[in-house]
Amino acid sequence: MKEYFKLNNNINIPAIGFGTWQTPDGQTAINAIKTAIDAGYKHIDAAAIYKNEKGVGLGIKEANIDRKDLFVTSKVWNEQRGYENTLKAFDNTINDLQLDYLDLYLIHWPAAAHQFENWKQLNNDTWSAMEKLYKDGKIKALGVSNFMEHHLTPLLQHATIKPTVNQIEYHPGYMQQDCVQFCNDNNIQVEGWSPLGRGDVFDNEVLKQLAHKYNKTVAQLSIRWAIQNNVIPLPKSVTPNRIIENFEVSDFNISESDMALINKIDTIANSGLRPDSVSF
Ligand SMILES: NC(=O)c1ccc[n+]([C@@H]2O[C@H](COP(=O)([O-])OP(=O)(O)OC[C@H]3O[C@@H](n4cnc5c(N)ncnc54)[C@H](OP(=O)(O)O)[C@@H]3O)[C@@H](O)[C@H]2O)c1
């Protein structure tokens, strides 16, 4: 199994990231991060809006790993869009995490036409701040999240540095194949959020049968499936045995025909969160 993918700026990114949305700040976040790093995760997916970056940062500090061996992502939230605001948001994030740099910084959601007449300009301004952070060495890679082709196209025209990553909802039963194809064509690495559909993929019969066949859990099957489709899954858990389970996916291989069966699963576990209709 691939342990790393290579981003378009030649940086290696670990093939599984550890999710932190809805992880309570404080001791729960500290314990989850330490457990994850002990289990072998080398990639943490954080965000300012998760309101737990202090706990995540303490977990990183207390964990037994060199900073250079860890890949840490965060995201600028929707209320901080624009050039100056993004620079300030980055300072807050880096202070909360107690880090000197981020490996990857993302625009969490695009500004979109249903909320902003000047949405393209707003995304461009946010991007210009990200490019400055990159040139100043404060982030090793820059990218976006929840950008569809029609948000990416104007950004790509403006950008002097291309996005390396697009983080979108991706799990069995919700593959956003058009967006993935566009990203693949443009050498933008896709990361998959809610790789377990927030727990909602577990009852699917196809997944249950295949998990049984490979002697794995549905969670492990879903995570491995994403990686074999060249998408980086970001499973989240605060439960130690699940954190460990979700990382144990390198000792089996899903056959091509079984990959096709999973690819064909009808829509399930769809969050309904779309960049062109969200209210936040
Ligand atoms: N960019 C974005 O807009 C965006 C949006 C959503 C998510 N994300 C990122 O993607 C990450 C993952 O997505 P997510 O948190 O929405 O959902 P997820 O990882 O698909 O599912 C997490 C849920 O599944 C449970 N779970 C985890 N492993 C399990 C296992 N092996 N067996 C049974 N249950 C298990 C967790 O419970 P416990 O924690 O109680 O164990 C939690 O309730 C987030 O944490 C965040 O970092 C990004």
Side-chain angles (χ1 to χ4, degrees):
M1 185 189 89
K2 272 190 188 166
E3 269 188 59
Y4 292 89
F5 290 92
K6 201 172 268 305
L7 299 179
N8 64 29
N9 66 346
N10 254 347
I11 298 250
N12 281 331
I13 181 168
I16 301 179
F18 184 62
T20 60
W21 180 41
Q22 292 180 319
T23 296
D25 199 9
Q27 203 56 49
T28 308
I30 296 172
N31 290 346
I33 296 294
K34 282 167 65 182
T35 305
I37 292 173
D38 273 354
Y41 294 78
K42 292 191 161 41
H43 172 177
I44 312 281
D45 184 69
I49 193 63
Y50 302 163
K51 309 260 184 243
N52 56 11
E53 290 194 313
K54 287 191 175 144
V56 169
L58 285 171
I60 292 172
K61 214 170 201 180
E62 290 180 21
N64 195 16
I65 193 163
D66 280 351
R67 172 67 185 94
K68 65 172 175 26
D69 296 328
L70 197 61
F71 190 102
V72 184
T73 301
S74 186
K75 317 182 188 88
V76 57
W77 184 239
N78 304 355
E79 282 157 22
Q80 274 77 46
R81 293 183 181 112
Y83 188 83
E84 293 299 336
N85 285 345
T86 298
L87 296 180
K88 271 187 230 145
F90 175 81
D91 281 344
N92 289 335
T93 274
I94 212 84
N95 284 338
D96 284 351
L97 288 168
Q98 296 190 56
L99 297 176
D100 303 326
Y101 68 91
L102 287 178
D103 296 279
L104 176 63
Y105 200 38
L106 305 177
I107 303 183
H108 207 143
W109 289 84
H114 71 301
Q115 285 180 320
F116 301 97
E117 217 170 288
N118 65 339
W119 61 275
K120 289 182 194 167
Q121 188 60 48
L122 202 43
N123 289 332
N124 289 347
D125 292 347
T126 308
W127 193 253
S128 296
M130 312 268 288
E131 289 186 343
K132 173 170 170 52
L133 293 168
Y134 183 73
K135 284 177 192 152
D136 289 350
K138 293 180 176 172
I139 59 181
K140 305 285 179 205
L142 59 173
V144 295
S145 176
N146 300 302
F147 275 56
M148 300 296 113
E149 178 174 346
H150 59 281
H151 309 113
L152 271 168
T153 299
L155 189 73
L156 287 170
Q157 280 162 6
H158 161 82
T160 57
I161 303 166
K162 225 172 124 165
T164 59
V165 160
N166 189 13
Q167 183 181 125
I168 58 173
E169 182 173 359
Y170 187 90
H171 48 73
Y174 197 67
M175 295 179 69
Q176 307 211 63
Q177 208 42 54
D178 290 351
C179 183
V180 170
Q181 191 59 53
F182 182 81
C183 291
N184 290 346
D185 291 345
N186 284 279
N187 201 10
I188 297 169
Q189 173 67 48
V190 176
E191 296 184 342
W193 59 255
S194 295
L196 313 175
R198 300 157 311 285
D200 290 345
V201 300
F202 297 136
D203 290 336
N204 180 268
E205 284 306 323
V206 175
L207 294 176
K208 282 205 289 198
Q209 278 171 24
L210 287 174
H212 182 72
K213 171 176 170 182
Y214 288 98
N215 202 16
K216 288 282 162 183
T217 64
V218 171
Q220 290 169 324
L221 184 79
S222 304
I223 290 164
R224 176 80 201 199
W225 165 84
I227 298 169
Q228 286 187 217
N229 275 336
N230 292 320
V231 171
I232 297 175
L234 308 168
K236 171 266 179 187
S237 178
V238 295
T239 314
N241 62 309
R242 292 174 174 175
I243 294 173
I244 293 164
E245 172 189 324
N246 294 345
F247 198 72
E248 287 176 342
V249 297
S250 54
D251 58 351
F252 74 117
N253 191 56
I254 307 171
S255 71
E256 247 176 67
S257 56
D258 290 338
M259 286 295 290
L261 285 179
I262 305 175
N263 290 344
K264 272 201 312 224
I265 292 174
D266 279 343
T267 304
I268 53 168
N270 173 355
S271 73
L273 297 174
R274 298 285 163 275
D276 294 309
S277 59
V278 290
S279 57
F280 45 77

